Amino acid sequence: MIDLHAHSTCSDGRLTPTALVARAAEAGVTTFALTDHDTVDGLDEARTAADTHGMTFINGVEISVTWQRRTLHVVGLAFDSRNPSLANGLATLQQARRDRAARIAAKIEKLGVTDALPRAQAMAGAGQITRPHFARLLIEDGICRDNNQAFKKHLRPGRDAHAAIEWAALESAIGWLHAAGGIAVLAHPFGYGFSGAWRQRAIAAFADAGGDGLEICTGTTDRQKEVTAARDAAQHGLVGSVGSDFHAPEQFWLGLGRLRALPGDMNAVWHDARFKA
Ligand code: AMP
Ligand code: MN
Ligand code: MN
Ligand code: MN
């Protein structure tokens, strides 16, 4: 059982890397990647935990990218987590996250949240501050009912608590991962709210920029989407990846490792020699 996309408390996940790996092991996952947003901070802890469970652990990260004024997510796999190009690139994104956090905090204070920035910082601890942290503050202070409503009404682009941010360029994110000896996978092609035409444009741009793989089976895809994504991948010579995008046990509809097999005879990213190390 393989799961190559999940989050811990180092970004917007609810479980520590150790607890996440334990839960994955319990679910029967045998090859696992931790892919926190714009940070590799959880990887050493997760690897140590994976060793105690006899699980194959793959270094992972989910890099935020701005492409055509839209956000894309690039999952990096099987890289050297100490590579300086990657570390420097992620450091710039972490600084951009801190700057944006202050701007979002100011906006949700106008909506009635008190002490937004210190509370978001305390919640994130040493991890990255993400929009789901601000969603939790909106819920805690009774302004929103749930995470979904917080995003729909306030945190999405065009809403009153959205703060613009320039993430990495597509070529940069892929370049950092390749410099670190890793594999670049375009995450959840159906997860951006794109039309079919924009989805295909994004996949083509990703492949043209040197990307290696496409996430085919996720916690929220049906077979039809998976077959469509597999066709898109084949058209651009991309290998297939699978990942639940697990964030929290409260997402009861989405389990670690509960993913279908890649459609047909598609090339799997885990057949890469870097997965054997
Ligand atoms: P950030 O990278 O800080 O902008 O936060 C992005 C994260 O917010 C994603 O990885 C999801 O976990 C979550 N997210 C994004 N859009 C939504 C949405 N519409 N509803 C719920 N969660 C969302
Ligand atoms: Mn997330
Ligand atoms: Mn994502
Ligand atoms: Mn994710």
Side-chain angles (χ1 to χ4, degrees), residues 1-3 21-31 55 256-258:
M1 198 187 264
I2 299 170
D3 194 334
V21 166
R23 190 181 175 94
E26 200 176 320
V29 174
T30 50
T31 299
M55 182 192 271
L256 282 157
R258 263 201 339 243

Side-chain angles (χ1 to χ4, degrees), residues 7 12 37 62 64 73 97 100 129-132 147-148 151 156 167 247:
H7 296 271
D12 55 354
H37 295 289
E62 184 171 15
S64 308
H73 285 171
R97 271 190 185 281
R100 182 190 64 163
I129 305 183
T130 66
R131 280 186 294 162
N147 183 66
N148 212 14
F151 270 89
R156 283 208 316 217
W167 298 116
H247 284 73

Side-chain angles (χ1 to χ4, degrees), residues 17-60:
T18 302
L20 178 71
V21 166
R23 190 181 175 94
E26 200 176 320
V29 174
T30 50
T31 299
F32 183 65
L34 171 64
T35 56
D36 275 309
H37 295 289
D38 306 316
T39 181
V40 296
D41 284 353
L43 299 183
D44 288 348
E45 181 187 325
R47 180 175 294 281
T48 301
D51 286 347
T52 71
H53 294 286
M55 182 192 271
T56 300
F57 184 76
I58 305 297
N59 282 344

Side-chain angles (χ1 to χ4, degrees), residues 67 72 170-171 174 200-211 236:
W67 169 78
L72 298 178
L170 188 52
E171 294 74 13
I174 294 169
Q200 293 197 332
R201 249 175 251 156
I203 294 168
F206 176 77
D208 287 348
H236 295 285

Side-chain angles (χ1 to χ4, degrees), residues 69 72 84 109 161:
R69 304 207 311 283
L72 298 178
E109 288 197 349

